[in-house]
Every structure is written in C-alpha cells, then in structure tokens.
Amino acid sequence: MTPRPESSGSRPKGTAGEKIPEQPTAAQQKSATKKTAVPRQAAAKKAAPAKATAKKAAAAKTTVGKTVAKKAATKKAAAEKTAVEQPAAGTATAKKTAGKKSAAKKSAAKKATTVRATAAKTTAVKAAASKSTAAETVAGKAAAAKAPAARTTAKKAPAKKAGTTERAAATRTAAEAVAKKATPAKVSAKKATAKKTAPATSTVAKSPAKKTTAGKAPAGEAVAKKSAVKKAPARKAPARKGPAGQAPAGDAGSAQVVQPEMEVAVSPAVDAVDRERLLAGTHHAPHSVLGAHPVPGGIAFRAFRPYALSVAVVSGELRAELHNDGEGFFSGLLPLREVPAYRLVVEYEGTVLETEDAYRFLPTLGDLDLHLIGEGRHEELWTALGAHPTTHEGVTGTRFAVWAPNARGVRVTGTFNFWDGTGHVMRSLGSSGVWELFLPDVGEGELYKFEITRPDGSKTQRADPLARRTEVPPATSSVITSSEYEWGDAEWLARRAEAPAHEAPFSVYEIHLPSWRPGLTYRQLAEQLPGYVKNLGFTHVELMPVAEHPFGGSWGYQVTGFYAPTARLGTPDDFRYLVDSLHRAGIGVLMDWVPAHFPRDDWALAEFDGRPLYEHEDPLRAAHPDWGTLEFDFGRNEVRNFLVANAVYWCEEFHIDGLRVDAVASMLYLDYSREPGQWTPNEHGGRENLDAVAFLQEMNATVYRRVPGVVTVAEESTAWDGVTRATHHKGPSGFGGLGFGLKWNMGWMHDSLQYMSHEPVHRKYHHGEMTFSMVYAYSENYVLPISHDEVVHGKRSLVSKMPGDWWQQRAGVRSYLGFMWAHPGKQLLFMGQEFAQGAEWSEAHGPDWWLLDPGYGAEPDHRGVRDLVRDLNTVYRATPALWRLDTDPAGFEWIVGDAADDNVLAFLRLDPEGAPVLAVSNFAPVTRQDYRLGVPDNVPAWHEALNTDAARYGGSDVINPDPVKPEPQSWHGRPASIRLTLPPLATVWLRPA
C-alpha cells in the first residue's frame, strides 16, 4: 500500500490499542452497517480516572456523552420489539441491519493487540462475548469466541498466543457469568449501562452471513481482536438459556443498532488461512494481507518477520508496538485515517533493525511489461525480469521478478535473509505468470535464488534464469549486480555498420577464453589478447560460449546462465572491459550462442516451476538425443521471448558484434538424430520444426533491426534452403529465409580436410573434394571454418592431419591455409592452429605456447607458420578481390580445376573493378618448373604477393622473384599464359605488377 500524507490534525501517540476518534464519516457509517460488528477493541493504556462516574467508565475514552448513550439505548429498545435482544456492551449501541443474518466468520480472538491488558479485563470481555454467540457455535470454542452470530455457524478460531493463564481464567469466568447473570432479554440498554461493571465501549452489529473458509476473516470484517484491552460489562442473557460456557442461539429476526456516530473496529491480525499460506510459501497476494491497510477503525498494520522478538511501527514521532501474534506474525490497529509514511523497527536476538516494509510498495512492473511478456514481444526482457538494484518510490533496494506460471508460490531467498525466504513471499502479477517483490535495503553483491513451491506442494530452489551475474562454479547462486561501466568504443560502433559482413574483410580467430592463457581474468586477457590478435591481422575474434555453464568440460555449450558471463574469469563489467579493449584495438567480437538446448541441472531451467516450462511438454521433443540435454519449446511465446531478448542483450549490453548460433541443424529438424517412431511430423506432415524456423527468423530480424552492424552466423551442417536469405524472401521450399548473415561451410571443411589427409600420391583420386565446394559456393554467405570441433576428440590438430614427415606436415598446413584464405568465403581458425600445434586442444591446459619459446629447438618451425598467418591476413585485408565479392559469382574464375594428376588448382579472384588475384596451389611434394597457366591478356605482368614456401615461413624458398610476363600463347581457354615455378606443397598468390 502506497503511504499517504497524514491528516492535518495532531497525530495520536499510543499503541495499537488506543481508541479511535468519534464522529465517523458517512462512508464509514455505511461500511459499518455492511460488516459484522464485534466488541470494540479499546486500549487499556489510558484508563479513565478513578473518580469517574459509572457511565463514564462504561464509555471509556469515547467522546460520546451521556445523552448519546441514553438515546442509543432508547433506539435500540424500539428497534428490537420483535427480536430477542443481544446483550449490549456497556454504553455501546448496536446498529440495525434489517432482515439480515449476522455472520460470525472467523471472529477468532487470535491475539490481543495490547499485551498490557489485565487478566481481569480479558475475563470480563470473554464473559460478555460468550453470552452472545450463536447456538450453532461449537461448545468447546464458545468461551474463546468474541463475536455474536445469528443463525450462522460460528467458525472455530482458538484464541492463539493470548496466554495460557488468561485463557483459562476467561473461560471459567465466562461460564460463571452466563449461569449467574442470565435474565430475560427485555432489558433496556440504560439499565445494562447502569450496572457498574467493566467499562467497555465495544459495539455489536449484525451483517449478512457469508460462506467463508473456517478460520478466515476477510479484510474489513469486524472481529473482536482487542479483548485484552478493556473490560466488557456483565450482560443480561436472553430468555433462551444454554449450558454454562455455551452461547445461546439468537433469533432470526434479531438485529442490533449501531449508533451512526460510532465506527466499527476490526481485527488487524492475519487470519488463519492467510497465515497458513504465508508460512507455506503459497500465498499469491501477500501484499493484500501484509503491510498497512485502511480498515474500519483505523489503519491495520501487519508484518511477517520470522525469528523477530518484536516489531514496532515508526512514523515521525509516532511509535507503536505491534502485537506478537506468534510464528513471526505481528499486527496492530492504529487510530489513523490515512496510511502514513512509516518504517518498521524489528528486534532480533542481539540486534535491532530499522527498515522499510517490503509489503507497502506498489508493483515494480507495469501493465505494458506484463502484456509484452505474455505476447512474447518484450525485446528488453532483462530489464523487467531478474534482480535489479533500483530506487522505487524513493526507497533504494532490489526488485525481483521471475516467470513461473505453474508455481503455487515463490519466495526470494539469499544471503540477505540467511537463505530463509519464509518472510519474503513474492506476489503473482495476474495471469502473466510473473512473480514480483521489491526488497528495500538489499543491494549489489548479495547472493539469491528463488524458492518455488511446485504444483504438487514440493519445493525447489532455482537460480534466476535472467541472472546477470552468478557465483563461480561449482557454486550455483545468482548474484545481484548492476553495471557502472563507461564504454570507450564509440568510434568502433560508428563504423562497424559501414559495410555488411559478407562484403568486408572477415578473418576470425576462435578462442576458448578460459584456456587461451589459463588463469587469466577478463581484465588480464584484455592486456594480452587484443595485441596478439591485432599482430596476427585477424579482423575478429570469436569467443566460445562465455555464458555461465556449470561444467567446464562442455566448453560452454551447456548453458545455465544465459544472461551472465561466466564468473570464472571475473565480473560482467570485467567482461565489458575485455570487449571494449578489443574494439579499441580495431577487432570485432563474435560470441558463440547456444539457444538449441540446456542441461538438466535441478537448480536451473529444467522443469523450472515443477512442470515443463522452458522445455517442450512432449518428452519426444524435449529430450536431445545426442547430448542428454533438453530442447527449448520454441513455440511458447515466453520461451521464444527469453531467447530473442537474450540475443539482443549480448549485442546491446556487451557490444558484441555478432552471434555464432550453435547447432542450428538440431533445431530445424524434428527427426534430428531420431529414429522412426521417436518423432512426430509437423502439421503438414513434414519433418521441419516450424516453431524453430519462426524463432530463428524472429531472432535474426530483431537483432538486425535493433543493432545495426552486427552479424549472425549459423553453424548449420545440412542443405537447408535459405539460411542466409532474408526472412521475407521465400525460396523453393516455401519458407522465407532464416535471416542469418553468414553460414559455416561445413561441407567445404569436411571435404578439404579429407583431401589433405590423403597421401599426395593418392590425392588425384580425390581431386573433386577440393573443387566441389565451388558448385554451391554462392548458395549462401559462407564462412570457411577450421574450428575447435576439428582439433579434438581424436581428430588430431590441423598439422597432425597432414601426411608425411614433419617438414611435409608443416608445408601441407601452409599450403592449405593459403588455399583457404584465397577461396571464396570468410575464414575462421581456432587458437593453436596458427602456430601448428601438434597436440589436440584441451580445455584443461590450452595451446602449447612453449612451442614458441626461443629456447625450444623447433621454435622456428612453429613461428614460421604463425608468421605466414600474419602475412595471409595482411595481404587479404589489403586486397578487395579476396573479400569484396565473396558471395557474387562475378568474383571468381577457374583457371584450372581439373589438373588432378598434378594435384594443382588455380583460379582468379576479382574485385568489383575487375582487378584480379591469381591463386595457385600445388598439393604435390614436388617442384613443378615452368608450369603453364592461362591468364587474362590485359595484365602486363604478375608478381608474387605471397608464397607459402618462403624461407621465413620454414619452407624450401622456391619462389618467383621477378615479375612474370604473359606470353601470347592461349592456355586453359585464355588468350595468354604464363610459366611459373610451383614450389612443393605450397600456394602462391600473384597480383598485377
């Protein structure tokens, strides 16, 4: 409840039991007539002076005078001619509710709001109450009941925590009072007032009977809660008597009149049902119960503070102790007309805390957020869900929000409440499935999880799916965080959109950050990685998944924290610093992104709220057959939104320049790695996953629209049509394109490595493996990948795939890289392969950097390969013919593609202006002298731009040092030709001189 300014009058200073001012408003009078009235709870603090008259004592601390009391008695007698009168409480009068039945719902005397009331006073009140209870009230509970009910079954509500001594005394006294003082019902209110008994001013009224759950008292219903505060007079019992201790049944037509000037007070305590749900963590609307709420009689304050010894409300100079209702519940009724700005003073053993009340705040999420989440269109989902330090309604704290539509209840647990979320129950925001809570005084660095009550009642603690920071694995908690990082890459961002990736130089160094230089943090990597990559001439780095993952051996491909950079290397701002440093060095940053599947860890996404949520509800579609993981349900709005927003998040929040999307093929096909009978066709009878297609199209369209200059890259290993076609352009299959910017050419990688693994003498039988890629080279925008997948799990490193001795292996790698950099498409090379590491990659120790130690004997061999990679990138970036028309057939011409017996391939690469580069590869271990090749006749001379056999690369230094002039002899269908010396196992690039 939002605090409102106090009224202009002087503020009452007292406890929750103080008497509220008289003269209620018309609205309050109307409310009072509709609600069940019970004996008014009056404070015992300011007792009437000892010399006060009997009438003043009966009207303790009220402003109603003797004349009013007499009038009230007269009105009451007139109104109840046909009814059996209920006993009046001192000078208090009952208001007429004609023809309506009185409801005594949950009129439990749970906990008195003023603990300083005497036992005698409690006894008197209970005695009076017990004589006016309906006949249907269970006899065993009659002594504790404090609200009358006519023809209504009284609810059982034991007087909890009122004290064993007080309960026993009250019960005995009540029984005696009923037996001793029972008289005919026709007793005037004036006579009852004249009796000099306890001075109580509580009122009794009748309200329509309603069906409610036993023990529950709806807000606003009159409940006799403050019986311990003042004494109630002994009353005349009706003619119909019951046994001692049991209340007689009231007549159906009987009603009591409440003076219009009087206001009916209610119990501030949490009723039994709400109490049970709060304790169990299954309450969907705790803010409707806890906090401060206007009720008849004032403002009810309720707090749920497990383990607290006491709780007080503080507002300005007002301080009011709340009554300890037991089990961590505290309540009180203050005689205020408006909810004030207040704080809670909570006393625990050994400490006292003054804090804001978490249950006085309005929701931190608006209707627009909830609508967009439900529609699956919240493109900045990370700003709505998760944990966010913020200032809400002028108070600093953290707002928590989580999507868990199947949960019966959600609580926040963390270091700030000693991992006991009992007192931090979240509220459900309508039908959105979102649960929300703002916790004051909780800030950055605190650990937290969500404690979810599943539909079956069991509980589970889950990490936040949108946590933006996590603990270092194997710990699994989420961490509250916010970014304070100031970027310095504005220049880079401004120019990265100048040309699309497929029309720009694009040479990628793939890195596994935790093992590139083991032990380095993000900030330490920022001091070394940009300089190393820039020196080698790569345009981009591609980071294997940096999103949090529990198992390091997965290399990051089994993600649990989709919105958090792995904490193994530092904080999210540390990762920002690394990206910023790379941008300042002129290097773009791609990141592997894994939206296809997630692991089954029971603290993460799997059956998050007790039922399949992020995964598909059909077990056949949920389980990934290859990796033992779960596949996302791409057809569910909220799940699709979770992933689309995640793609945008990395690009916008971390300035990532592109996403390489992992395992796209496994998403596109329903029968991927499944046997017949293990999958269900789509609505058209096909095997395409239509939900996944729609998701990928939406993801690409959203990312390209929101973040100009980025590129998305698909790791897709099949012949799916239109992976890099625009989403609005339909192909022969009837589908629009998936919308990716680039696609890994897995066919080229497989075929070319297969060719290179053969002994040179056998290569002529596999020549087509090097030329087939040009059959489909322009069907998509391709990247030529030599990735981590090709140098692990027994596949051997790149140099070790080559046949022959050590010299031939290194020569084979050099010739292959020269061919790869000249082939249409972009390049990607995994770390360690740039210096011909002989061992497979291992995430445990990373590249074998010691091979580049000058003290190592073979260091020149490895350093030569790395120098070649540097020169390949340098020439490549300076030569538009090698990248400008990568996706246009006009940029490529074969010179000779069928020289299988010679193991020779030669082709031209052209830029838009027609400027050529001639690339010639000799994959035989022999030197070929005067090898004739056809060339265009408009180039007066050619000179070597690069030769992979040069001595500085570790080669045999067979080169063409002088410009080579064409001869007017046609060859290979060309009007002119040149004669070259082709070095063994080498690739040569020539440009016009």
Side-chain angles (χ1 to χ4, degrees), residues 355-645:
T355 182
E356 297 286 346
D357 185 358
Y359 294 94
R360 77 171 181 84
F361 296 96
L362 294 172
T364 56
L365 294 181
D367 291 341
L368 179 59
D369 285 315
L370 300 178
H371 172 75
L372 292 175
I373 290 171
E375 290 289 317
R377 292 289 185 271
H378 203 307
E379 296 176 0
E380 296 180 0
L381 186 66
W382 68 93
T383 65
L385 302 183
H388 295 267
T390 187
T391 299
H392 182 50
E393 297 181 12
V395 177
T396 58
T398 297
R399 58 180 178 89
F400 297 88
V402 64
W403 178 61
N406 298 311
R408 289 178 58 189
V410 183
R411 300 192 285 207
V412 183
T413 179
T415 51
F416 44 84
N417 57 21
F418 302 98
W419 295 104
D420 185 344
T422 306
H424 288 153
V425 186
M426 304 181 75
R427 64 176 146 204
S428 174
L429 299 180
S431 62
S432 65
V434 175
W435 300 76
E436 178 268 349
L437 181 64
F438 173 73
L439 291 183
D441 305 322
V442 174
E444 287 192 62
E446 299 280 8
L447 308 183
Y448 72 99
K449 283 187 176 181
F450 294 113
E451 182 186 277
I452 296 174
T453 302
R454 301 184 180 102
D456 64 1
S458 62
K459 297 187 185 301
T460 178
Q461 284 195 2
R462 297 297 176 125
D464 185 356
L466 280 93
R468 291 167 293 120
R469 184 181 174 188
T470 67
E471 279 191 289
V472 178
T476 60
S477 296
S478 305
V479 183
I480 299 173
T481 187
S482 62
S483 177
E484 304 296 334
Y485 189 76
E486 295 183 5
W487 290 90
D489 60 351
E491 183 179 348
W492 167 266
L493 297 179
R495 72 169 185 267
R496 73 177 179 181
E498 291 177 353
H502 63 277
E503 295 180 357
F506 198 88
S507 175
V508 183
Y509 183 58
E510 187 186 22
I511 304 168
H512 180 252
L513 281 178
S515 68
W516 185 72
R517 292 287 175 89
L520 297 188
T521 65
Y522 290 129
R523 289 187 178 269
Q524 291 169 336
L525 284 165
E527 303 304 319
Q528 298 187 30
L529 183 59
Y532 182 81
V533 175
K534 185 175 183 178
N535 178 264
L536 291 182
F538 287 99
T539 64
H540 292 73
V541 295
E542 180 177 312
L543 310 179
M544 290 170 67
V546 296
E548 193 59 88
H549 50 282
F551 177 48
S554 73
W555 312 332
Y557 291 98
Q558 294 194 9
V559 179
T560 52
F562 281 81
Y563 285 77
T566 179
R568 292 172 174 87
L569 307 181
T571 68
D573 276 356
D574 292 340
F575 180 62
R576 288 180 172 90
Y577 180 79
L578 173 60
V579 175
D580 200 2
S581 299
L582 288 162
H583 284 171
R584 294 185 188 190
I587 301 163
V589 181
L590 310 179
M591 188 189 85
D592 279 12
W593 185 55
V594 191
H597 61 117
F598 57 91
R600 296 174 179 265
D601 298 76
D602 59 5
W603 50 268
L605 298 182
E607 292 192 352
F608 183 75
D609 59 3
R611 291 178 180 168
L613 187 65
Y614 288 92
E615 66 271 39
H616 203 283
E617 62 182 358
D618 181 355
L620 293 178
R621 292 184 61 176
H624 198 292
D626 289 346
W627 304 313
T629 54
L630 296 170
E631 297 184 8
F632 281 103
D633 182 359
F634 302 110
R636 185 161 188 165
N637 287 347
E638 297 90 344
V639 175
R640 188 179 66 249
N641 193 175
F642 173 81
L643 294 170
V644 172

Side-chain angles (χ1 to χ4, degrees), residues 23-36:
Q23 302 303 327
T25 62
Q28 290 170 327
Q29 296 171 18
K30 184 177 180 180
S31 173
T33 63
K34 292 183 179 180
K35 303 181 184 296
T36 303

Side-chain angles (χ1 to χ4, degrees), residues 73-435:
T74 303
K75 287 184 180 181
K76 174 187 169 189
E80 297 181 343
K81 291 179 180 179
T82 61
V84 178
E85 288 190 7
Q86 300 292 334
T91 59
T93 58
K95 197 160 199 174
K96 182 176 180 181
T97 58
K100 296 187 177 180
K101 299 176 182 179
S102 170
K105 298 181 294 181
K106 305 186 194 76
S107 55
K110 291 182 180 176
K111 300 166 191 74
T113 58
T114 306
V115 298
R116 289 179 288 274
T118 64
K121 295 179 180 180
T122 305
T123 302
V125 174
K126 292 185 176 180
S130 64
K131 291 180 291 185
S132 57
T133 308
E136 292 92 330
T137 303
V138 178
K141 303 296 181 178
K146 298 175 187 169
R151 298 183 56 167
T152 304
T153 302
K155 308 300 180 181
K156 297 181 181 180
K160 301 177 182 178
K161 307 295 182 183
T164 305
T165 303
E166 292 185 4
R167 278 202 304 269
T171 305
R172 289 194 301 269
T173 305
E176 293 171 1
V178 172
K180 186 176 181 179
K181 299 188 179 182
T183 59
K186 298 289 184 173
V187 180
S188 68
K190 187 172 184 179
K191 181 177 180 181
T193 304
K195 291 186 179 288
K196 298 182 178 181
T197 57
T201 58
S202 53
T203 60
V204 178
K206 298 174 71 71
S207 64
K210 298 179 182 178
K211 294 183 180 180
T212 60
T213 306
K216 183 174 181 182
E221 183 177 349
V223 182
K225 192 69 176 113
K226 298 184 182 178
S227 58
V229 177
K230 279 184 177 281
K231 294 182 180 179
R235 306 186 184 179
K236 299 293 184 178
R240 295 174 59 185
K241 300 178 183 178
Q246 180 174 339
D251 189 11
S254 66
Q256 297 193 20
V257 179
V258 176
Q259 191 75 336
E261 293 82 0
M262 302 296 292
E263 190 176 38
V264 181
V266 303
S267 168
V270 177
D271 68 65
V273 173
D274 286 328
R275 184 189 185 102
E276 181 180 353
R277 292 172 64 196
L278 287 167
L279 287 169
T282 58
H283 206 296
H284 71 284
H287 293 70
S288 68
V289 178
L290 304 176
H293 299 274
V295 296
I299 303 297
F301 290 85
R302 306 182 188 101
F304 184 29
R305 294 282 172 164
Y307 313 112
L309 302 179
S310 67
V311 176
V313 172
V314 177
S315 178
E317 297 181 358
L318 171 67
R319 178 187 175 98
E321 294 287 336
L322 301 184
H323 182 266
N324 187 342
D325 299 333
E327 297 183 294
F329 290 92
F330 297 82
S331 64
L333 181 64
L334 299 189
L336 306 173
R337 295 194 179 277
E338 292 183 340
V339 176
Y342 70 95
R343 291 170 65 85
L344 299 179
V345 176
V346 186
E347 179 186 359
Y348 296 97
E349 185 173 354
T351 186
V352 177
L353 301 176
E354 182 172 339
T355 182
E356 297 286 346
D357 185 358
Y359 294 94
R360 77 171 181 84
F361 296 96
L362 294 172
T364 56
L365 294 181
D367 291 341
L368 179 59
D369 285 315
L370 300 178
H371 172 75
L372 292 175
I373 290 171
E375 290 289 317
R377 292 289 185 271
H378 203 307
E379 296 176 0
E380 296 180 0
L381 186 66
W382 68 93
T383 65
L385 302 183
H388 295 267
T390 187
T391 299
H392 182 50
E393 297 181 12
V395 177
T396 58
T398 297
R399 58 180 178 89
F400 297 88
V402 64
W403 178 61
N406 298 311
R408 289 178 58 189
V410 183
R411 300 192 285 207
V412 183
T413 179
T415 51
F416 44 84
N417 57 21
F418 302 98
W419 295 104
D420 185 344
T422 306
H424 288 153
V425 186
M426 304 181 75
R427 64 176 146 204
S428 174
L429 299 180
S431 62
S432 65
V434 175
W435 300 76

